[in-house]
Amino acid sequence: MSSALDLKTLEAAAHWYVTLAEQGEAAREAHSHWLASDPRHAQAWARVERLQAKLGRVTADIARPTLQNSRIKRRAALKVLSVLLAAGGATLLGTRYGPTRDALADYRTSTGETRDVELPDGSRLTLNTRTAVDLKYDSALRRLDLREGEVLIQTAPDSLSRPFVVHTPYGSVRALGTRFLVRSDDNGARVGVLQHAVEVRPRDAHQRVTRVEAGQQLNFSAATLSQPGPLPRGADAWARGQLLVDDWRLEDFIAELSRYHPGYLGCAADAGALRISGAFQLHEIDTVLDNLSGTLPVRTRRLTRWWARVERR
């Protein structure tokens, strides 16, 4: 299904479901015109049809005369929309990590979850939200494959003197007796060093090895490396359930929070340039969003538990 399918289209499909249940044949022609007017409309309606049984259970009362009340009709449509989102629509709204993605990984976390793991050699691994990793230890190498997400690693001395290497889709990070962070997503990878140092090798340019020291971070792709720069204060705060920001754009702040929010969490364009600083609890995102209006001229608009957007007031 097209990635262009957005909340507005799914919401329209939910309204049509309610309207057809109430008006039947009287609305068929208008519904047909709506389907033909945009390929996304047909895609959204196909999702509705695939979920007919579940939708029927949650909207069993939609044909009652009380639906002449527009507020009740709106509530019924939102119930339908909630089912669409829960059944996979959230993936189309910006959350690509689903319950079946990377299901066979050795260690993984879901949205908003973190996990601590002790590795066979005594090293410590902490997985951030939406993270999946595989462990591949043998007699010559301690290898961690980061499929996606973010990890905090504290390496331990190894009795066999095996190197500790983290592989990402963009290249590898070799630990030099260290505590460090590695993050990988669709835009590339980033490493941040908290203690000692690491060596970074891009996948398609193995000869380009860059050393990153404690207090530095570096971004890399399959073929490029940035220059090491300062590691922001509190870069590992997520492992303690916090997000620390210092004069961030609100757009960037909401994008980071969205990694911990099931479904869609966005920021309206006219609010994105506002600045924000502070320490925020990642396990209390609804409270964080509600409190934004106390310090910034914004409000949070919510349609369902899976959809929220911060807008200028």
Side-chain angles (χ1 to χ4, degrees):
M1 190 174 291
S2 168
S3 61
L5 188 57
D6 57 15
L7 178 93
K8 183 178 179 180
T9 305
L10 286 174
E11 187 175 9
H15 277 282
W16 274 115
Y17 182 82
V18 173
T19 299
L20 289 174
E22 177 196 6
Q23 299 180 15
E25 290 301 320
R28 294 291 177 189
E29 184 175 355
H31 176 247
S32 295
H33 285 302
W34 176 78
L35 284 177
S37 65
D38 191 317
R40 293 172 298 178
H41 296 174
Q43 292 170 357
W45 193 248
R47 179 173 290 277
V48 170
E49 291 180 326
R50 287 198 298 271
L51 294 171
Q52 282 281 5
K54 186 178 292 187
L55 290 171
R57 287 196 296 273
V58 301
T59 59
D61 61 345
I62 64 176
R64 295 176 183 172
T66 54
L67 271 182
Q68 298 300 323
N69 181 314
S70 61
R71 183 164 56 87
I72 296 176
K73 186 181 296 186
R74 168 71 171 169
R75 188 159 61 238
L78 287 177
K79 289 174 66 178
V80 176
L81 179 61
S82 295
V83 174
L84 291 174
L85 292 173
T91 301
L92 302 173
L93 301 176
T95 302
R96 67 185 186 90
Y97 188 91
T100 61
R101 181 177 173 86
D102 295 326
L104 299 180
D106 292 335
Y107 304 105
R108 58 191 174 95
T109 54
S110 58
T111 300
E113 179 188 8
T114 57
R115 181 180 178 186
D116 292 318
V117 178
E118 182 173 353
L119 300 180
D121 63 330
S123 296
R124 301 293 305 181
L125 171 68
T126 303
L127 287 73
N128 201 355
T129 180
R130 302 180 196 167
T131 295
V133 300
D134 292 317
L135 197 63
K136 299 179 179 179
Y137 277 31
D138 59 28
S139 60
L141 181 67
R142 295 175 292 170
R143 171 171 170 164
L144 188 74
D145 286 352
L146 177 59
R147 297 191 183 194
E148 69 169 347
E150 185 173 19
V151 291
L152 168 62
I153 300 166
Q154 173 72 63
T155 59
D158 183 49
S159 59
L160 300 177
S161 300
R162 296 169 296 177
F164 191 107
V165 180
V166 178
H167 284 264
T168 78
Y170 307 99
S172 64
V173 179
R174 176 171 175 162
L176 302 176
T178 188
R179 183 170 180 259
F180 63 111
L181 300 151
V182 183
R183 177 167 168 173
S184 179
D185 56 33
D186 287 341
N187 299 315
R190 182 173 71 217
V191 59
V193 182
L194 299 160
Q195 296 175 2
H196 303 294
V198 301
E199 290 180 345
V200 181
R201 294 174 182 264
R203 186 193 68 203
D204 299 336
H206 286 175
Q207 72 281 4
R208 296 189 60 192
V209 181
T210 297
R211 183 182 174 104
V212 187
E213 303 286 349
Q216 293 182 325
Q217 69 175 11
L218 174 149
N219 297 316
F220 62 100
S221 68
T224 64
L225 289 159
S226 72
Q227 290 297 316
L231 182 68
R233 180 181 67 90
D236 62 338
W238 58 262
R240 302 185 295 275
Q242 289 187 318
L243 174 60
L244 303 186
V245 302
D246 183 13
D247 195 34
W248 283 26
R249 284 173 53 90
L250 183 62
E251 179 182 28
D252 296 332
F253 173 70
I254 295 300
E256 188 66 16
L257 274 187
S258 71
R259 299 174 61 215
Y260 303 86
H261 181 274
Y264 171 81
L265 173 60
C267 182
D270 61 357
L274 296 172
R275 315 298 293 195
I276 187 169
S277 299
F280 303 91
Q281 299 299 315
L282 290 171
H283 301 301
E284 299 177 8
I285 291 181
D286 286 340
T287 301
V288 171
L289 295 174
D290 291 339
N291 289 342
L292 286 178
S293 60
T295 56
L296 294 172
V298 297
R299 64 178 181 179
T300 300
R301 185 163 72 96
R302 294 180 174 89
L303 293 184
T304 74
R305 61 177 295 189
W306 294 281
W307 192 96
R309 185 169 68 175
V310 177
E311 302 175 342
R312 191 120 190 179
R313 218 173 33 235

mmCIF file of all heavy atoms in Angstrom, residues 26-52:
data_model
loop_
_atom_site.group_PDB
_atom_site.id
_atom_site.type_symbol
_atom_site.label_atom_id
_atom_site.label_comp_id
_atom_site.label_asym_id
_atom_site.label_seq_id
_atom_site.Cartn_x
_atom_site.Cartn_y
_atom_site.Cartn_z
ATOM 1 N N ALA A 26 -28.563 5.607 -0.404
ATOM 2 C CA ALA A 26 -28.628 7.049 -0.644
ATOM 3 C C ALA A 26 -27.246 7.672 -0.748
ATOM 4 O O ALA A 26 -27.077 8.725 -1.354
ATOM 5 C CB ALA A 26 -29.428 7.727 0.466
ATOM 6 N N ALA A 27 -26.247 7.022 -0.162
ATOM 7 C CA ALA A 27 -24.896 7.587 -0.166
ATOM 8 C C ALA A 27 -23.957 6.859 -1.124
ATOM 9 O O ALA A 27 -22.795 7.254 -1.252
ATOM 10 C CB ALA A 27 -24.319 7.551 1.256
ATOM 11 N N ARG A 28 -24.432 5.814 -1.796
ATOM 12 C CA ARG A 28 -23.543 4.985 -2.612
ATOM 13 C C ARG A 28 -22.894 5.774 -3.746
ATOM 14 O O ARG A 28 -21.707 5.617 -4.020
ATOM 15 C CB ARG A 28 -24.322 3.801 -3.197
ATOM 16 C CG ARG A 28 -24.823 2.800 -2.173
ATOM 17 C CD ARG A 28 -23.679 2.032 -1.531
ATOM 18 N NE ARG A 28 -24.174 1.124 -0.503
ATOM 19 C CZ ARG A 28 -23.397 0.463 0.336
ATOM 20 N NH1 ARG A 28 -22.086 0.620 0.264
ATOM 21 N NH2 ARG A 28 -23.921 -0.323 1.252
ATOM 22 N N GLU A 29 -23.671 6.583 -4.439
ATOM 23 C CA GLU A 29 -23.120 7.297 -5.585
ATOM 24 C C GLU A 29 -22.022 8.266 -5.157
ATOM 25 O O GLU A 29 -20.948 8.332 -5.780
ATOM 26 C CB GLU A 29 -24.222 8.046 -6.338
ATOM 27 C CG GLU A 29 -23.709 8.727 -7.609
ATOM 28 C CD GLU A 29 -24.824 9.369 -8.412
ATOM 29 O OE1 GLU A 29 -26.003 9.201 -8.030
ATOM 30 O OE2 GLU A 29 -24.512 10.043 -9.405
ATOM 31 N N ALA A 30 -22.284 9.012 -4.081
ATOM 32 C CA ALA A 30 -21.272 9.949 -3.589
ATOM 33 C C ALA A 30 -20.025 9.210 -3.127
ATOM 34 O O ALA A 30 -18.891 9.662 -3.344
ATOM 35 C CB ALA A 30 -21.851 10.788 -2.455
ATOM 36 N N HIS A 31 -20.235 8.056 -2.520
ATOM 37 C CA HIS A 31 -19.102 7.254 -2.079
ATOM 38 C C HIS A 31 -18.281 6.771 -3.272
ATOM 39 O O HIS A 31 -17.039 6.784 -3.245
ATOM 40 C CB HIS A 31 -19.594 6.066 -1.253
ATOM 41 C CG HIS A 31 -18.518 5.131 -0.825
ATOM 42 N ND1 HIS A 31 -18.416 3.842 -1.288
ATOM 43 C CD2 HIS A 31 -17.464 5.304 0.023
ATOM 44 C CE1 HIS A 31 -17.365 3.249 -0.749
ATOM 45 N NE2 HIS A 31 -16.768 4.109 0.050
ATOM 46 N N SER A 32 -18.957 6.375 -4.350
ATOM 47 C CA SER A 32 -18.257 5.927 -5.549
ATOM 48 C C SER A 32 -17.419 7.048 -6.151
ATOM 49 O O SER A 32 -16.292 6.826 -6.604
ATOM 50 C CB SER A 32 -19.263 5.417 -6.586
ATOM 51 O OG SER A 32 -19.930 4.263 -6.103
ATOM 52 N N HIS A 33 -17.972 8.262 -6.150
ATOM 53 C CA HIS A 33 -17.207 9.412 -6.655
ATOM 54 C C HIS A 33 -15.975 9.660 -5.788
ATOM 55 O O HIS A 33 -14.894 9.975 -6.299
ATOM 56 C CB HIS A 33 -18.085 10.663 -6.700
ATOM 57 C CG HIS A 33 -19.060 10.673 -7.830
ATOM 58 N ND1 HIS A 33 -18.672 10.572 -9.148
ATOM 59 C CD2 HIS A 33 -20.417 10.759 -7.844
ATOM 60 C CE1 HIS A 33 -19.739 10.608 -9.923
ATOM 61 N NE2 HIS A 33 -20.823 10.713 -9.153
ATOM 62 N N TRP A 34 -16.137 9.508 -4.486
ATOM 63 C CA TRP A 34 -15.000 9.708 -3.562
ATOM 64 C C TRP A 34 -13.917 8.662 -3.834
ATOM 65 O O TRP A 34 -12.729 8.993 -3.909
ATOM 66 C CB TRP A 34 -15.482 9.616 -2.120
ATOM 67 C CG TRP A 34 -14.373 9.713 -1.108
ATOM 68 C CD1 TRP A 34 -13.727 10.832 -0.697
ATOM 69 C CD2 TRP A 34 -13.784 8.611 -0.384
ATOM 70 N NE1 TRP A 34 -12.759 10.518 0.239
ATOM 71 C CE2 TRP A 34 -12.770 9.167 0.449
ATOM 72 C CE3 TRP A 34 -14.010 7.232 -0.347
ATOM 73 C CZ2 TRP A 34 -11.997 8.386 1.288
ATOM 74 C CZ3 TRP A 34 -13.242 6.465 0.502
ATOM 75 C CH2 TRP A 34 -12.247 7.028 1.302
ATOM 76 N N LEU A 35 -14.316 7.420 -4.042
ATOM 77 C CA LEU A 35 -13.342 6.365 -4.325
ATOM 78 C C LEU A 35 -12.558 6.648 -5.603
ATOM 79 O O LEU A 35 -11.347 6.432 -5.661
ATOM 80 C CB LEU A 35 -14.051 5.017 -4.464
ATOM 81 C CG LEU A 35 -14.524 4.325 -3.188
ATOM 82 C CD1 LEU A 35 -15.276 3.049 -3.546
ATOM 83 C CD2 LEU A 35 -13.357 4.004 -2.266
ATOM 84 N N ALA A 36 -13.253 7.157 -6.619
ATOM 85 C CA ALA A 36 -12.608 7.358 -7.921
ATOM 86 C C ALA A 36 -11.770 8.628 -7.980
ATOM 87 O O ALA A 36 -10.963 8.791 -8.902
ATOM 88 C CB ALA A 36 -13.678 7.411 -9.011
ATOM 89 N N SER A 37 -11.923 9.507 -7.007
ATOM 90 C CA SER A 37 -11.268 10.817 -7.085
ATOM 91 C C SER A 37 -9.792 10.792 -6.718
ATOM 92 O O SER A 37 -9.049 11.728 -7.032
ATOM 93 C CB SER A 37 -11.997 11.824 -6.185
ATOM 94 O OG SER A 37 -11.874 11.442 -4.817
ATOM 95 N N ASP A 38 -9.328 9.720 -6.062
ATOM 96 C CA ASP A 38 -7.935 9.673 -5.619
ATOM 97 C C ASP A 38 -7.565 8.219 -5.344
ATOM 98 O O ASP A 38 -8.309 7.528 -4.628
ATOM 99 C CB ASP A 38 -7.752 10.524 -4.351
ATOM 100 C CG ASP A 38 -6.298 10.738 -3.985
ATOM 101 O OD1 ASP A 38 -5.514 9.772 -4.048
ATOM 102 O OD2 ASP A 38 -5.933 11.868 -3.611
ATOM 103 N N PRO A 39 -6.446 7.722 -5.874
ATOM 104 C CA PRO A 39 -6.052 6.321 -5.609
ATOM 105 C C PRO A 39 -5.917 6.008 -4.123
ATOM 106 O O PRO A 39 -6.159 4.870 -3.697
ATOM 107 C CB PRO A 39 -4.702 6.195 -6.326
ATOM 108 C CG PRO A 39 -4.722 7.263 -7.376
ATOM 109 C CD PRO A 39 -5.511 8.392 -6.797
ATOM 110 N N ARG A 40 -5.550 7.000 -3.331
ATOM 111 C CA ARG A 40 -5.397 6.770 -1.885
ATOM 112 C C ARG A 40 -6.730 6.445 -1.232
ATOM 113 O O ARG A 40 -6.791 5.728 -0.222
ATOM 114 C CB ARG A 40 -4.761 7.986 -1.224
ATOM 115 C CG ARG A 40 -3.305 8.230 -1.636
ATOM 116 C CD ARG A 40 -2.798 9.544 -1.101
ATOM 117 N NE ARG A 40 -3.559 10.662 -1.652
ATOM 118 C CZ ARG A 40 -3.352 11.929 -1.324
ATOM 119 N NH1 ARG A 40 -2.430 12.241 -0.437
ATOM 120 N NH2 ARG A 40 -4.078 12.887 -1.873
ATOM 121 N N HIS A 41 -7.838 7.001 -1.798
ATOM 122 C CA HIS A 41 -9.151 6.716 -1.234
ATOM 123 C C HIS A 41 -9.481 5.235 -1.390
ATOM 124 O O HIS A 41 -9.991 4.599 -0.459
ATOM 125 C CB HIS A 41 -10.214 7.572 -1.931
ATOM 126 C CG HIS A 41 -10.032 9.038 -1.722
ATOM 127 N ND1 HIS A 41 -10.805 9.991 -2.359
ATOM 128 C CD2 HIS A 41 -9.154 9.728 -0.948
ATOM 129 C CE1 HIS A 41 -10.419 11.198 -1.985
ATOM 130 N NE2 HIS A 41 -9.404 11.061 -1.136
ATOM 131 N N ALA A 42 -9.181 4.689 -2.545
ATOM 132 C CA ALA A 42 -9.422 3.260 -2.765
ATOM 133 C C ALA A 42 -8.545 2.408 -1.857
ATOM 134 O O ALA A 42 -8.975 1.364 -1.349
ATOM 135 C CB ALA A 42 -9.173 2.915 -4.231
ATOM 136 N N GLN A 43 -7.317 2.849 -1.622
ATOM 137 C CA GLN A 43 -6.421 2.109 -0.732
ATOM 138 C C GLN A 43 -6.969 2.095 0.690
ATOM 139 O O GLN A 43 -6.962 1.063 1.374
ATOM 140 C CB GLN A 43 -5.031 2.753 -0.757
ATOM 141 C CG GLN A 43 -4.308 2.593 -2.080
ATOM 142 C CD GLN A 43 -3.051 3.443 -2.151
ATOM 143 O OE1 GLN A 43 -2.748 4.188 -1.221
ATOM 144 N NE2 GLN A 43 -2.323 3.340 -3.243
ATOM 145 N N ALA A 44 -7.432 3.252 1.147
ATOM 146 C CA ALA A 44 -7.966 3.339 2.507
ATOM 147 C C ALA A 44 -9.232 2.497 2.633
ATOM 148 O O ALA A 44 -9.442 1.813 3.641
ATOM 149 C CB ALA A 44 -8.249 4.793 2.869
ATOM 150 N N TRP A 45 -10.086 2.528 1.603
ATOM 151 C CA TRP A 45 -11.320 1.759 1.663
ATOM 152 C C TRP A 45 -11.042 0.261 1.633
ATOM 153 O O TRP A 45 -11.744 -0.526 2.275
ATOM 154 C CB TRP A 45 -12.252 2.158 0.524
ATOM 155 C CG TRP A 45 -13.632 1.622 0.727
ATOM 156 C CD1 TRP A 45 -14.259 0.655 -0.007
ATOM 157 C CD2 TRP A 45 -14.551 1.988 1.762
ATOM 158 N NE1 TRP A 45 -15.505 0.401 0.502
ATOM 159 C CE2 TRP A 45 -15.713 1.208 1.592
ATOM 160 C CE3 TRP A 45 -14.493 2.901 2.811
ATOM 161 C CZ2 TRP A 45 -16.827 1.308 2.425
ATOM 162 C CZ3 TRP A 45 -15.593 3.016 3.655
ATOM 163 C CH2 TRP A 45 -16.737 2.224 3.464
ATOM 164 N N ALA A 46 -10.000 -0.134 0.919
ATOM 165 C CA ALA A 46 -9.619 -1.547 0.915
ATOM 166 C C ALA A 46 -9.247 -1.996 2.324
ATOM 167 O O ALA A 46 -9.544 -3.123 2.737
ATOM 168 C CB ALA A 46 -8.456 -1.774 -0.046
ATOM 169 N N ARG A 47 -8.598 -1.129 3.077
ATOM 170 C CA ARG A 47 -8.266 -1.465 4.468
ATOM 171 C C ARG A 47 -9.536 -1.620 5.290
ATOM 172 O O ARG A 47 -9.659 -2.533 6.118
ATOM 173 C CB ARG A 47 -7.366 -0.376 5.073
ATOM 174 C CG ARG A 47 -7.002 -0.633 6.521
ATOM 175 C CD ARG A 47 -5.985 0.377 7.024
ATOM 176 N NE ARG A 47 -4.700 0.157 6.395
ATOM 177 C CZ ARG A 47 -3.818 -0.747 6.813
ATOM 178 N NH1 ARG A 47 -4.093 -1.499 7.854
ATOM 179 N NH2 ARG A 47 -2.679 -0.903 6.198
ATOM 180 N N VAL A 48 -10.531 -0.745 5.064
ATOM 181 C CA VAL A 48 -11.798 -0.858 5.765
ATOM 182 C C VAL A 48 -12.463 -2.200 5.459
ATOM 183 O O VAL A 48 -12.935 -2.904 6.356
ATOM 184 C CB VAL A 48 -12.735 0.308 5.373
ATOM 185 C CG1 VAL A 48 -14.154 0.067 5.919
ATOM 186 C CG2 VAL A 48 -12.199 1.634 5.899
ATOM 187 N N GLU A 49 -12.478 -2.556 4.188
ATOM 188 C CA GLU A 49 -13.130 -3.807 3.800
ATOM 189 C C GLU A 49 -12.448 -5.028 4.391
ATOM 190 O O GLU A 49 -13.103 -6.012 4.743
ATOM 191 C CB GLU A 49 -13.176 -3.906 2.274
ATOM 192 C CG GLU A 49 -14.121 -2.893 1.636
ATOM 193 C CD GLU A 49 -14.155 -2.993 0.130
ATOM 194 O OE1 GLU A 49 -13.094 -3.318 -0.467
ATOM 195 O OE2 GLU A 49 -15.223 -2.748 -0.455
ATOM 196 N N ARG A 50 -11.128 -4.978 4.513
ATOM 197 C CA ARG A 50 -10.410 -6.118 5.107
ATOM 198 C C ARG A 50 -10.725 -6.268 6.590
ATOM 199 O O ARG A 50 -10.557 -7.326 7.161
ATOM 200 C CB ARG A 50 -8.894 -5.950 4.914
ATOM 201 C CG ARG A 50 -8.436 -6.173 3.492
ATOM 202 C CD ARG A 50 -6.941 -6.432 3.438
ATOM 203 N NE ARG A 50 -6.168 -5.302 3.936
ATOM 204 C CZ ARG A 50 -5.758 -4.287 3.182
ATOM 205 N NH1 ARG A 50 -6.081 -4.244 1.891
ATOM 206 N NH2 ARG A 50 -5.043 -3.304 3.697
ATOM 207 N N LEU A 51 -11.183 -5.196 7.209
ATOM 208 C CA LEU A 51 -11.440 -5.217 8.658
ATOM 209 C C LEU A 51 -12.937 -5.166 8.973
ATOM 210 O O LEU A 51 -13.324 -4.786 10.067
ATOM 211 C CB LEU A 51 -10.734 -4.027 9.319
ATOM 212 C CG LEU A 51 -9.206 -4.064 9.259
ATOM 213 C CD1 LEU A 51 -8.629 -2.754 9.738
ATOM 214 C CD2 LEU A 51 -8.667 -5.203 10.089
ATOM 215 N N GLN A 52 -13.769 -5.566 8.026
ATOM 216 C CA GLN A 52 -15.212 -5.444 8.206
ATOM 217 C C GLN A 52 -15.705 -6.121 9.483
ATOM 218 O O GLN A 52 -16.535 -5.573 10.207
ATOM 219 C CB GLN A 52 -15.938 -6.055 6.994
ATOM 220 C CG GLN A 52 -15.962 -5.171 5.775
ATOM 221 C CD GLN A 52 -17.021 -4.080 5.861
ATOM 222 O OE1 GLN A 52 -17.685 -3.925 6.872
ATOM 223 N NE2 GLN A 52 -17.162 -3.319 4.799
#
